[in-house]
Amino acid sequence: MQLVETHIAQKLENPIRFQEYGVGIFDTNPTKSGIKKAIKKGLIFIDENLATTSKYISGGEKIELYQSEKSSTFERLKLDLEVLFEDAYLAIIYKPAGVLVSGNKFVTIANGLAQNLKKSNQFDAVKPQPIHRLDYPTSGLLLIGKTSNSITTLGKLFKEKKIQKTYFAVTIDKMKNKGSISSSIDNRESLTDYEVLESVKSERFEFLNLVKLSPKTGRKHQLRIHLLSIGNPILGDKEHYLENKILNGKGLYLHAASLDFTHPFTREKLTISKELPKKFTKIFPDF
């Protein structure tokens, strides 16, 4: 057999069965069913003894995952993510533009979370899971749940609009200094507040604007659809655009800049932010 990965268990508040603890600790075998299969095949050792599903983990144990010579080789995802906040319940990471949050593709944020985040020491720890979505071309902050309770609770906070999200976008053409957009999306009420922070003249687009956006609802493509509806689409948008005003090769100029909410378990007030990407500051150097 060949050693694939080694994990040192962190100190737990209460010991839990390895069958539950083992979910997400190995990049190459992150699922509960995969752990059970590896145990049955004798491929997992805890402190150099064969692992069992009923073995309790309390902290400090050396857990080793092996691969038999007959096993097919694993393809291990290597995706380094910037972690802006993390504790036992949740994390906030930076999603680069051009990466899917989840889905059937191999390279997704969801598939890369286990290798970038620490295993939770809570009894209901699960494989880390994104709480909300960001479009493929959008960069910015993504909230992650690390326990079953936190995933449920954080999802509820989003529905109750108790998590404030702030975005920045570069838009095309002249626009009002501030306003609200309330056009419906898919026959559902939707609302976005916006404020223009700076405008510059552009030979190709007449004007480019740095806009601060505060969505009050969370519809799919809401900001992109809303800004197009007032004649000011986001620069680089190839789905919601004006004819002859498409920018190729630079990606979408939309950035999820901050998350603001009260931590549902520690009651800590969290305001986490990420600076504008360089492609924004090339146009607006004062920001």
Side-chain angles (χ1 to χ4, degrees):
M1 293 194 301
Q2 179 182 355
L3 180 64
V4 178
E5 293 186 63
T6 300
H7 172 84
I8 304 300
Q10 60 184 296
K11 187 67 177 177
L12 301 175
E13 290 185 356
N14 297 297
I16 59 174
R17 293 201 310 166
F18 176 65
Q19 184 172 315
E20 280 71 40
Y21 180 83
V23 178
I25 66 172
F26 296 125
D27 297 342
T28 52
N29 193 349
T31 66
K32 189 172 183 177
S33 62
I35 289 293
K36 289 176 70 175
K37 288 178 183 177
I39 291 173
K40 285 183 178 180
K41 292 178 180 179
L43 297 176
I44 299 181
F45 288 76
I46 301 174
D47 290 335
E48 301 184 356
N49 296 310
L50 272 173
T52 64
T53 56
S54 59
K55 169 72 175 177
Y56 275 80
I57 302 296
S58 58
E61 294 90 348
K62 182 172 74 170
I63 306 171
E64 296 171 305
L65 172 66
Y66 285 82
Q67 179 181 324
S68 70
E69 293 179 1
K70 295 180 180 179
S71 300
S72 59
T73 56
F74 291 109
E75 183 181 6
R76 187 180 304 192
L77 174 62
K78 294 181 180 179
L79 182 63
D80 291 329
L81 298 173
E82 182 180 359
V83 181
L84 300 170
F85 176 87
E86 182 179 11
D87 64 11
Y89 305 94
L90 59 89
I92 298 171
I93 62 101
Y94 174 68
K95 185 193 94 67
V99 181
L100 287 169
V101 171
S102 58
N104 295 324
K105 299 291 185 180
F106 178 59
V107 180
T108 66
I109 296 295
N111 288 341
L113 289 175
Q115 64 181 278
N116 286 277
L117 300 177
K118 299 173 185 175
K119 174 78 176 181
S120 172
N121 62 3
Q122 297 298 300
F123 72 95
D124 59 340
V126 294
K127 183 181 178 182
Q129 180 177 314
I131 303 300
H132 58 114
R133 62 178 179 265
L134 288 176
D135 294 341
Y136 172 81
T138 303
S139 63
L141 303 192
L142 192 65
L143 181 59
I144 310 299
K146 296 175 60 176
T147 70
S148 58
N149 193 19
S150 68
I151 290 168
T152 301
T153 302
L154 292 169
K156 186 178 179 182
L157 289 181
F158 265 111
K159 285 185 178 180
E160 295 174 347
K161 301 179 178 60
K162 292 181 179 178
I163 297 178
Q164 281 74 51
K165 295 185 288 183
T166 301
Y167 291 75
F168 289 93
V170 176
T171 64
I172 294 171
D173 284 346
K174 194 167 186 177
M175 61 189 300
K176 295 179 181 178
N177 289 335
K178 61 173 59 178
S180 295
I181 310 168
S182 59
S183 56
S184 63
I185 296 174
D186 295 330
N187 296 317
R188 300 173 69 190
E189 179 186 356
S190 55
L191 177 64
T192 302
D193 291 338
Y194 72 87
E195 179 183 1
V196 177
L197 303 180
E198 187 177 346
S199 296
V200 296
K201 289 186 177 181
S202 166
E203 282 187 24
R204 183 175 175 188
F205 302 109
E206 294 188 40
F207 285 93
L208 292 175
N209 315 282
L210 179 62
V211 184
K212 180 180 178 181
L213 298 159
S214 301
K216 304 305 179 185
T217 51
R219 313 301 178 215
K220 186 177 181 180
H221 291 195
Q222 176 175 314
L223 301 177
R224 300 162 68 179
I225 292 170
H226 271 178
L227 287 164
L228 176 62
S229 73
I230 62 170
N232 302 108
I234 297 175
L235 186 67
D237 199 332
K238 295 180 180 180
E239 292 184 60
H240 310 282
Y241 59 88
L242 295 175
E243 289 296 331
N244 304 317
K245 291 194 175 181
I246 298 177
L247 179 69
N248 292 313
K250 299 293 185 180
L252 182 70
Y253 282 70
L254 179 61
H255 175 66
S258 70
L259 288 170
D260 190 340
F261 62 101
T262 299
H263 194 301
F265 301 101
T266 67
R267 309 312 300 170
E268 178 185 2
K269 179 69 174 176
L270 293 179
T271 301
I272 309 297
S273 60
K274 176 69 176 174
E275 70 274 7
L276 290 175
K278 288 183 180 179
K279 67 181 183 181
F280 282 68
T281 56
K282 283 183 179 180
I283 302 172
F284 301 98
D286 291 339
F287 291 87

